Amino acid sequence: MQIQSSHRISPGDSVRDAMKQLNMLSGESMTLFVVDDDDKILGTVTDGDIRRSLIEGGELNDRVVKVMNSRFLFATGMGDISLKMTEGRKRRIELLPVIAEGRLVDMIDLRKTRAWLPVEAVLMAGGRGERLRPLTDELPKPLLPVAGKAIIDYNIEELEACGIRKIHVTVNYLGHLIRRHFADREGIAKVDCVEEPKRLGTFGSLAYVEGMETDDIIVMNSDLLSSIDFEALYIHHKKAGNDFTIAAVPYSVSVPFAIMRLQGQRVKSLEEKPTYNYFANGGVYIMRRELISRIPKGEYLDAPDFIMELIEAGNKVGSFHIDGTWVDIGSPDDYRLANELASRTMLS
C-alpha cells in the first residue's frame, strides 16, 4: 500500500502544522507518522499527544518531535503483523505502521482490516455471462451493479479486509471495461488485470498470471456474492496440510415423489418425498502456488478437470464448508436475489 502523504509529517514541522493536518483527516484514522527524508519513522502523533503536551506547557510553535510518541507499536513483517494487529486493537490503535530496516513501508488501518493473510488472490472475470443476456451484451458480468456496486468490488473489498495486498483479475470478454474499472482505483490492494488470449476455461487463465510470490493463493470466481470467511478458509487449508482446498456449499435436492428401492423389478421399500443433501463446489479455492506450473499455457482447462488431475496424481484435495450467504450470479433470478440480499445487508 502506498503511504498516503496526508498521514506523514516531517520532524521539522510544528505542532500547529500537525494540528492542521490532523484536522484535515477528520473521518479517517487520525494518526500522523513522523518520517524523515530517508523514510525513517521517528514516532507517531495523535490529538491526544498534542493535548497532553499543551497541558504540560508546550507551545504550538514547538517542533512536532517534542510531542511525538517514540515508543509506538509497529510490525516488522508477515509473521509479526497478525500479533501486532491483535495488540493494536486491544490498545485501541487505528493505524499500525509496518517497518523494514527502520523505514515506513506500509500502514494497516485496523478499522478496515480484519485479518492479515499471507496470500495473493486471483479473480476469474473472463466469462461471457450468457444466461444474463441482454444485461451482459455491453457490460461484463463482474461489473453488473448489485445494490449500486459492481459484483467484483464486493469480492475485492472482502479480500482487502483480510490484508491481501495483491489481486490479479483475469479478463477476456469485454476485458477493456474491467481494465478501465480498475485503472484509477484507489484501495488497499494493488489490482492488476491479466488478459486471456482466448477463452481458456475457469483455470486455463492461471497460466498467464505472473509474478506471484506467496506460497498459497486464493482463486475464485468474480461473480459471487458470499459471506465466506477467508481467514477461516486459510487456517483450515494450512492445518489440514492440503495442496488444494475447495470451498463447499450445502445443496439439497427434494424429490416430490415416493422413491422406490428396487431389486430387479421387485420393490424392496418406498421413501416418501426424500431430500438428499450434498456439498457443491462454491467456486472459491485455495491452493499451493507451485501447482500452477502444471497448467499448460494456451490450453482450455476447467476447474473440475484440474481438480480431478490433482486427485489422480495423489495430491491432497480437501474441502471447507461455507456458512451463510452464497449466491452464484449466473441467472436473472440469481441476480435479483443478490440485489435483495445486498440491499437488505446495507440497510440493516
Side-chain angles (χ1 to χ4, degrees):
M1 175 184 177
Q2 185 177 2
I3 310 301
Q4 298 177 20
S5 59
S6 56
H7 286 279
R8 299 169 65 118
I9 192 166
S10 298
D13 289 340
S14 69
V15 172
R16 187 189 305 274
D17 294 328
M19 290 181 68
K20 289 179 180 177
Q21 203 163 325
L22 285 168
N23 188 57
M24 293 174 65
L25 288 174
S26 180
E28 300 182 41
S29 296
M30 297 182 66
T31 302
L32 299 178
F33 300 114
V34 183
V35 182
D36 66 16
D37 292 339
D38 293 323
D39 270 344
K40 294 282 183 70
I41 181 168
L42 308 178
T44 61
V45 178
T46 65
D47 277 332
D49 296 320
I50 294 173
R51 183 173 62 252
R52 285 185 287 272
S53 173
L54 294 177
I55 289 172
E56 294 172 2
E59 299 182 359
L60 294 179
N61 290 327
D62 289 340
R63 293 176 65 206
V64 75
V65 289
K66 188 174 180 180
V67 305
M68 72 180 185
N69 173 21
S70 58
R71 301 179 66 183
F72 56 94
L73 181 71
F74 62 90
T76 56
M78 277 290 188
D80 185 45
I81 287 175
S82 292
L83 291 174
K84 293 300 175 63
M85 285 175 65
T86 300
E87 184 179 348
R89 288 194 175 96
K90 289 179 180 177
R91 292 166 55 174
R92 297 184 179 180
I93 291 170
E94 293 186 345
L95 282 183
L96 176 68
V98 181
I99 295 174
E101 298 181 353
R103 290 179 170 81
L104 180 65
V105 295
D106 207 341
M107 63 181 186
I108 301 170
D109 191 334
L110 297 183
R111 301 174 308 165
K112 300 176 181 178
T113 308
R114 295 191 303 272
W116 191 268
L117 304 184
V119 300
E120 296 177 38
V122 180
L123 271 66
M124 296 170 286
R128 300 184 67 87
E130 301 275 4
R131 290 182 293 158
L132 281 167
R133 286 184 165 176
L135 293 175
T136 53
D137 283 344
E138 297 182 357
L139 196 67
K141 183 164 60 168
L143 296 187
L144 289 178
V146 171
K149 182 162 63 178
I151 297 169
I152 195 171
D153 286 343
Y154 285 94
N155 295 306
I156 293 284
E157 290 169 10
E158 279 298 306
L159 293 167
E160 285 181 322
C162 291
I164 297 172
R165 297 301 180 89
K166 199 171 179 183
I167 300 173
H168 312 269
V169 179
T170 61
V171 301
N172 180 257
Y173 176 67
L174 298 178
H176 65 286
L177 296 180
I178 298 176
R179 286 182 180 277
R180 186 187 305 165
H181 179 75
F182 289 114
D184 300 318
R185 180 181 185 273
E186 293 183 3
I188 294 171
K190 177 187 177 185
V191 180
D192 71 279
C193 293
V194 179
E195 188 78 35
E196 294 180 65
K198 60 181 180 179
R199 289 186 67 234
L200 292 170
T202 48
F203 263 48
S205 61
L206 288 179
Y208 290 86
V209 181
E210 298 178 348
M212 288 187 287
E213 299 175 348
T214 56
D215 292 337
D216 299 280
I217 60 168
I218 289 174
V219 181
M220 63 182 294
N221 297 335
S222 62
D223 53 3
L224 299 174
L225 188 67
S226 170
S227 58
I228 185 171
D229 186 335
F230 287 108
E231 182 180 23
L233 169 65
Y234 172 77
I235 292 171
H236 173 81
H237 172 75
K238 298 302 283 187
K239 283 187 174 180
N242 290 340
D243 298 312
F244 191 103
T245 302
I246 308 167
V249 182
Y251 187 78
S252 297
V253 179
S254 296
V255 180
F257 311 104
I259 297 298
M260 293 184 292
R261 304 293 181 187
L262 300 176
Q263 186 175 39
Q265 292 186 342
R266 185 178 179 182
V267 177
K268 301 294 290 184
S269 66
L270 285 174
E271 187 175 359
E272 185 67 26
K273 299 179 180 178
T275 296
Y276 300 103
N277 297 309
Y278 302 97
F279 280 96
N281 181 351
V284 180
Y285 318 91
I286 185 166
M287 60 187 286
R288 288 194 293 111
R289 174 174 52 89
E290 63 193 59
L291 296 179
I292 293 176
S293 64
R294 303 189 191 182
I295 299 175
K297 208 165 189 177
E299 293 186 19
Y300 188 95
L301 181 65
D302 275 329
D305 297 320
F306 182 62
I307 293 167
M308 286 306 302
E309 287 177 12
L310 295 178
I311 293 170
E312 290 167 2
N315 290 102
K316 188 173 182 180
V317 177
S319 66
F320 172 81
H321 300 168
I322 297 176
D323 293 321
T325 301
W326 182 87
V327 181
D328 178 4
I329 305 172
S331 70
D333 286 342
D334 295 329
Y335 185 48
R336 281 191 290 271
L337 175 60
N339 273 282
E340 290 172 9
L341 289 172
S343 298
R344 198 179 308 155
T345 302
M346 294 170 69
L347 290 172
S348 61

